[in-house]
Amino acid sequence: MSDPSSLSFLNRLWFAYVVFFRVLFNGEYAAELHSPKALGAPPPEKAKALPEPEPEEKAPARAEPSPVAIPPAAPSTDAALQLLALLQREGRFVDFLEEDVASFADADIGAAARVVHAGCRKAIREHVTLEPVRTEEEGTRVTLPDPLDAASIKLTGNVAGKGPFTGTLRHRGWRAAKITMPTAVAGHDARVLAQAEVEL
Amino acid sequence: MSTAKGPRYVVGIDLGTTHTALAYALIQEDPSLPAPPIEVLSVPQLVAQGTVESRELLPSFFYVAHESDGPQALPWDKKRTYVVGEHARARGVDAPARVIASAKSWLCHPTVDRRGAILPPGAPEDVERISPVEASWRYLEHLMEAWEHVIAKGDPELALAKQSVVLTVPASFDAAARELTTEAAYAAGLEDLTLLEEPQAAFYAWLGMRGDQWRKEVKVGDAVLVVDVGGGTTDFSVIAAIEKDGELALERVAVGDHILLGGDNMDLLLAHVVEQKMLADAEAAGKPLELDRWQRVSLQHAARAAKEKLLGDSKAKSAPIAIAGKGSKLVGSTLRAELTTRR
């Protein structure tokens, strides 16, 4: 298969169903599909394009299956929601960010910031091992390896010329060396970051 | 024909007042090989609603779920109606009448019926009360289920009930309390059980950490004072190094009374001091203040952090304390105070 990703069985079942009717009632589409290069691996874009309602003059009698988008890959947002829930639970993170701080004095914000800092720091440290990308002190001159790892180092200022580069370290950077998130129990709604509390 | 093999692991369980932990090591028959490493079990437990995490400590709390809580599903039991562990401790702050804390302290309480269904005290009607013995059994049961899930994974030879288990008890536990602890362990299914006194266990651990150097530090005739300051209790014991059959042996020669005073009490006192100061200041400013239950708990945690900072850093003169309000408006409702070394 030239396409590295592959559709799941349920997706293929639905896809086969849709393709059957399209080929039966849409000559152009059938011809396109019949050509040798298309028969190899239908790219995902084609799969998504299929359910869009085509001009219905070709098959008005036959009820077209109603367009249902092929479900995207397993949502990677669950882990992000979990992290937000964790930071809210341990550090009142969402409460803090959602509040309008413009009208408060620095001292008030500072007091709240202590609570958030203490809680979130504990939560992060329990789940993520953070390390700086560069271990040198900020403000010192550093010589960077050649070739540069663009993912972990960015150049600012007089960005020109060829490596190896020497410059002043302005920010050490952060890298997550290890991360372990808790497991959500099946049936738990990840979108609820914090339950509403009602005191009886 | 399969020969019944002996236990594969030696397991140590600390059934503490506020936390329970389990450590294990493979049993090495050949003494010439290096000793296998000791591992601490990461116990999967509910840490929040619908969230399971593995932690090395299992808080010794038992929460009886209300129908509004929904099922408290664990990876091995989807329909559980009670919670053991971190979530139980957290819910205990929200709904204190439904949680059992410090069941171990009840085990050595001389005047109550320790086998009777008395916990949690003051529980509402729908809560089915249990005895201190049953509470201890439940914590052990959770450990056994966690072991099954993490280590044994269905292999009956590896089940915790088949392993050689050492359970620690405070040196100050009387015979009745030790009997009840054993009862809880047998109820959980542990058969190969040895009770070990906590100060002795701590001392063995200390010796273990010294490695081969320990002979330089402990000689026959030495008496060692072991002080165990826990969260809720403090124990003093004296262990003597004696000679037994030509070898060095350790014997506990003296033990103090089981003192129900520990680190938590220090935090409570500091929190009380800070609270009085905050109330006085608020009164003076014309805005009388009252702390609710969560703020008091928050204050306790903050007092503990401040205490640790002041005791850990000899140069620090004061530590800030911030207590958040309960609603979603954090900035406006956070209370500020300070803990100083002078008062």
Side-chain angles (χ1 to χ4, degrees), chain A residues 92 99 111 127 182-183 185 188 197, chain B residues 50 52-53 325 327 330-331 336:
Chain A
R92 312 283 299 272
E99 210 172 342
H127 296 86
T183 353
V185 169
H188 176 70
E197 286 176 39
Chain B
V52 170
E53 197 176 285
L330 195 63
V331 181
R336 282 196 327 281

Side-chain angles (χ1 to χ4, degrees), chain A residues 136-142 167-172:
Chain A
E136 296 91 342
E137 285 284 319
E138 285 171 8
T140 58
R141 298 281 292 174
V142 296
T168 317
L169 184 67
R170 291 290 178 216
H171 191 293
R172 299 164 93 191

Side-chain angles (χ1 to χ4, degrees), chain B residues 84-121:
Chain B
V84 169
E86 178 58 35
H87 187 44
R89 196 193 56 77
R91 279 302 278 163
V93 181
D94 292 336
R98 305 187 73 90
V99 90
I100 299 174
S102 307
K104 187 173 171 182
S105 301
W106 290 100
L107 271 182
C108 60
H109 201 295
T111 58
V112 299
D113 176 11
R114 302 174 245 185
R115 285 197 187 83
I118 56 169
L119 300 177

Side-chain angles (χ1 to χ4, degrees), chain A residues 75 77-82 84-85 88 94 184 187-195:
Chain A
T77 49
D78 261 8
L81 290 173
Q82 254 198 321
L84 275 180
Q88 166 61 19
V94 178
H188 176 70
D189 186 359
R191 290 171 310 155
V192 176
L193 305 176
Q195 296 160 291

Side-chain angles (χ1 to χ4, degrees), chain B residues 25-26 28 30-38:
Chain B
L26 277 167
Q28 183 74 271
D30 188 345
S32 63
L33 293 171
I38 301 175

Side-chain angles (χ1 to χ4, degrees), chain A residues 91-111:
Chain A
R92 312 283 299 272
F93 189 57
V94 178
D95 285 343
F96 185 62
L97 294 181
E98 279 295 300
E99 210 172 342
D100 174 28
V101 295
S103 51
F104 288 107
D106 280 354
D108 286 328
I109 302 175

Side-chain angles (χ1 to χ4, degrees), chain B residues 296-316:
Chain B
R296 286 219 179 84
V297 172
S298 226
L299 177 53
Q300 247 185 287
H301 288 308
R304 171 162 26 101
K307 164 191 88 178
E308 286 169 4
K309 175 171 177 233
L310 290 176
L311 290 177
D313 180 3
S314 54
K315 286 200 246 21

